[in-house]
Amino acid sequence: MKKAIACILLLHISQIVSTAQVSNFPDLAYSYVKLYLFNIDESNDRPDRQIWDDKGYAPSIKGNGKKLEKNQLILLQGIMKQDLSSLILGLSKCFIPRHGLIYFNDKDEPIASISICFECEKMSLYPNPYAKIKFDSTFSELTALKQLESIRELILLSNLPVYKDVNSYKTLPKP
């Protein structure tokens, strides 16, 4: 069943690839990718904006992550080949990401990351290849929504939740 879903997602992704892409993120050699949850506990502090960056891991990261399987990695690569500028800009501005992907090299060192907020429909890349793009001419809400749905399906295939109600994350067992 998972293989069938993966094939459907791959076909869906191939239909929304844009020729205006910046690069195939992360455009660095990597060995594997792990999926994490973060920013899921109640806090009065500012939420972590990146799952990982040059300052290290997000303090709110939960657990050891889930390593993507080969079919999931293929789906992620298909998503990351697209022009992601609309999704990077986002559809609103809360940006409290709860899902993150970290790319690791063959020495098990993190080299790049993706942070995703399904509530505001936005994602952030580190390092950010979109820093110099003018978004006004490339913005497409429909494309961003399709890309976000592909990422949601990838996360669900990894058996991590994506809740519509952020309070549902509080019910997750503590690692």
Side-chain angles (χ1 to χ4, degrees):
M1 181 64 173
K2 285 186 177 182
K3 285 184 180 183
I5 293 171
C7 289
I8 291 168
L9 283 173
L10 196 54
L11 288 172
H12 176 70
I13 290 166
S14 66
Q15 293 176 352
I16 55 177
V17 172
S18 170
T19 56
Q21 66 194 36
V22 171
S23 67
N24 186 6
F25 184 83
D27 205 22
L28 301 166
Y30 61 92
S31 181
Y32 61 96
V33 179
K34 289 176 94 176
L35 178 61
Y36 296 86
L37 290 173
F38 70 123
N39 288 325
I40 62 171
D41 292 330
E42 247 182 90
S43 174
N44 291 327
D45 296 333
R46 289 187 69 178
D48 296 317
R49 299 192 49 81
Q50 297 286 347
I51 188 72
W52 175 85
D53 61 17
D54 61 344
K55 297 174 193 128
Y57 293 96
S60 64
I61 197 169
K62 295 295 175 192
N64 296 318
K66 290 191 174 200
K67 189 174 179 181
L68 295 186
E69 297 173 9
K70 186 176 182 177
N71 63 330
Q72 296 165 328
L73 194 55
I74 291 169
L75 289 173
L76 178 62
Q77 290 166 342
I79 294 166
M80 299 316 292
K81 286 181 182 176
Q82 301 172 39
D83 174 8
L84 299 166
S85 57
S86 296
L87 195 51
I88 298 297
L89 182 61
L91 302 180
S92 64
K93 297 296 178 194
C94 75
F95 202 61
I96 303 173
R98 300 185 199 288
H99 298 83
L101 293 143
I102 301 177
Y103 292 77
F104 293 87
N105 64 19
D106 57 0
K107 297 176 186 172
D108 299 320
E109 301 167 329
I111 58 167
S113 69
I114 304 170
S115 300
I116 306 137
C117 177
F118 287 100
E119 289 91 57
C120 73
E121 301 170 321
K122 177 178 170 42
M123 76 180 212
S124 175
L125 305 177
Y126 182 84
N128 182 7
Y130 289 88
K132 296 180 181 173
I133 287 182
K134 292 184 178 181
F135 292 103
D136 56 346
S137 63
T138 61
F139 185 79
S140 168
E141 181 179 357
L142 181 60
T143 298
L145 289 171
K146 286 181 180 179
Q147 292 165 336
L148 197 63
E149 186 56 33
S150 296
I151 294 168
R152 180 187 323 275
E153 291 298 325
L154 172 67
I155 291 169
L156 293 173
L157 276 174
S158 299
N159 294 318
L160 283 180
V162 179
Y163 296 124
K164 291 185 186 281
D165 177 10
V166 297
N167 291 317
S168 296
Y169 289 101
K170 296 175 192 172
T171 65
L172 292 173
K174 303 294 180 201

